[in-house]
Amino acid sequence: MLSTRASAVAVAGPALRDESLAFARDGHRAAARVWVEAASRAGADPHALDRMPVRWLGRRAVLVRGPLAERLLADETAVRRGGSLPRALAVGALGRGGTPGVTEGPDDASLACRSSALARALRAAPARQVALALDLELDEMESAWRDAGTGLVHDSASVAFGRVVLRWAGLPQSIWGDDFRCRTLVRAAEASPASARSAMSVPDARRARRCRGSWEAWALEAVLATRSGDVTPRVGSLLDDLAGLRRSDGAHVAAPEAASLLLDAVAPVVGSACLAAWTALALTHHPHWQARLRVEHLGPRRGEARVGHRAPTRSTRGTARTASSTPATPTGPVATAVALEAQRLFCAAPLLVVTARRDLDVAGLAVGAGDRVVVDVHASNHDERRWDDAESFDPGRFLPRTGERRAGPRPFDATLDPVQQQLVTVLLAATMTRIATMLPDLGPDTGAESDAEADSWVRTALGTRPDGIRVDLTGTR
């Protein structure tokens, strides 16, 4: 039995309407409406509710959030992932337009296998190596931006993240060195089981499926080439591990299955390029965090002055690192806090649908075996009871306060593996640090800005595409 004391508010009211279409179309916005309407009927604070009966695809379901949702997902005997959504609703988008929709995540067996392979790959090539490899890509990105006087954050981050992550995963240079394939991987992430945003136009949904199909073919080609000996990936890499994966009877796992595991391991990480775009926009609204990133990266003397260092003008990809005017990209506490805040505020997977394995008692609500459970991840990461001023961009919530040794809770992510979360954090921290050194200095940290005014853009910007977020460097040459 799963129960909690966190929510004692009685839920009563008229017959429930089916929320399937609303959740698929409007995602967490529809879920927020459900919470508010239920609280209004009960005469309670909307934030006091942790579970709510709803109808989903014509059947009864329950909407959950907060610590109750986290405990429910952690209980492998209570719910299962995979097979919870019809195919028509299972295509999502990791931040590429529309409003957030729903996802079901990978099934339990794939999740366990993927998690083990990712953990082994990270031991073979630690996150520090990922940060150093990304530093070379960011040198190339900065050089191109300065030559052009401007740069698109989402597009550049897609290429940089793709090249670094695919190379880390052990894929051959013919794949990771192809910028087109890196951009295609971001589109493929929109149609992966770990994706989260379903409200795409029909053309975008079809394009996402085509990109997913292309990448399944490329990943399958890499697995088969590894098994035949035509490709020799780095020992301990994801490709090396998954291509050699065997079943209990000693036979190789089917190549398409291994290719799918490989793709689902790397696509969501590269798909986090959308978070880089939104966070770059956030830094322009919060110049004091931009300044703190610069100071952490360059030191007080160089960071207090307006920076904007010049990156090497020739390509550094695939070569030894050349002397640069800045140190290697760090993942210091401020940069890490900015990355964690981006994952919390811009929440890549707002709603997750799972299925009850057995009869459950969810804080007084009866959930039958086979019923759906909709986890509101966005609400959990914007819970005013857990996060002070939850709608504002405030990386300081992930920094230890004076007299405290540890920072507050970490963002709740229901779809990414811990290793994937670590990789996303490293990629975002390094990229935001570099962008902060390039952005024009918008003034000192006076501490006088209004959070309400500075963050009013968040509520409207997230329903649009991150593709058009551009950095203008014409005044920093």
Side-chain angles (χ1 to χ4, degrees), residues 267-457:
V269 179
V270 180
S272 66
C274 65
L275 300 183
W278 293 128
T279 311
L281 184 60
L283 290 178
T284 66
H285 288 269
H286 297 269
H288 55 300
W289 284 109
Q290 175 188 334
R292 290 190 65 175
L293 283 171
R294 285 204 306 261
V295 169
E296 179 179 72
H297 184 44
L298 300 168
R301 290 190 176 182
R302 296 182 65 192
E304 287 173 357
R306 194 186 69 75
V307 187
H309 72 279
R310 179 78 176 184
T313 55
R314 68 179 183 85
S315 176
T316 56
R317 290 175 177 169
T319 65
R321 180 168 176 79
T322 58
S324 175
S325 58
T326 59
T329 301
T331 53
V334 175
T336 299
V338 169
L340 291 173
E341 178 67 349
Q343 294 172 70
R344 182 199 69 84
L345 186 62
F346 307 128
C347 193
L351 294 180
L352 176 74
V353 179
V354 296
T355 303
R357 290 182 180 274
R358 53 182 171 81
D359 293 343
L360 299 172
D361 181 348
V362 181
L365 289 181
V367 177
D371 287 349
R372 303 297 196 272
V373 177
V374 183
V375 179
D376 193 342
V377 181
H378 181 274
S380 299
N381 282 330
H382 291 73
D383 189 343
E384 295 287 351
R385 297 170 300 173
R386 190 176 189 183
W387 313 96
D388 294 334
D389 200 7
E391 294 298 327
S392 69
F393 178 80
D394 180 17
R397 69 179 87 247
F398 295 108
L399 292 172
R401 301 179 185 274
T402 303
E404 297 180 357
R405 299 181 61 184
R406 301 181 63 182
R410 297 178 71 87
F412 174 42
D413 194 307
T415 57
L416 293 185
D417 175 271
V419 172
Q420 290 175 314
Q421 293 182 46
Q422 183 178 353
L423 292 174
V424 169
T425 300
V426 168
L427 294 172
L428 288 176
T431 304
M432 290 306 102
T433 297
R434 181 62 67 91
I435 289 178
T437 66
M438 290 190 287
L439 287 172
D441 190 5
L442 300 179
D445 179 12
T446 62
E449 71 173 359
S450 165
D451 284 337
E453 294 178 0
D455 291 302
S456 60
W457 62 276

Side-chain angles (χ1 to χ4, degrees), residues 186-245:
V186 175
R187 297 281 180 87
E190 300 169 1
S192 72
S195 63
R197 299 191 175 187
S198 298
M200 291 188 290
S201 65
V202 172
D204 277 348
R206 289 174 177 170
R207 183 163 46 191
R209 284 195 178 101
R210 287 198 302 270
C211 291
R212 171 77 185 188
S214 296
W215 256 99
E216 285 176 344
W218 293 333
L220 177 60
E221 179 184 347
V223 169
L224 293 174
T226 301
R227 290 182 177 179
S228 67
D230 294 336
V231 169
T232 306
R234 188 185 70 255
V235 175
S237 65
L238 268 177
L239 178 57
D240 179 58
D241 192 314
L242 294 176
L245 195 63

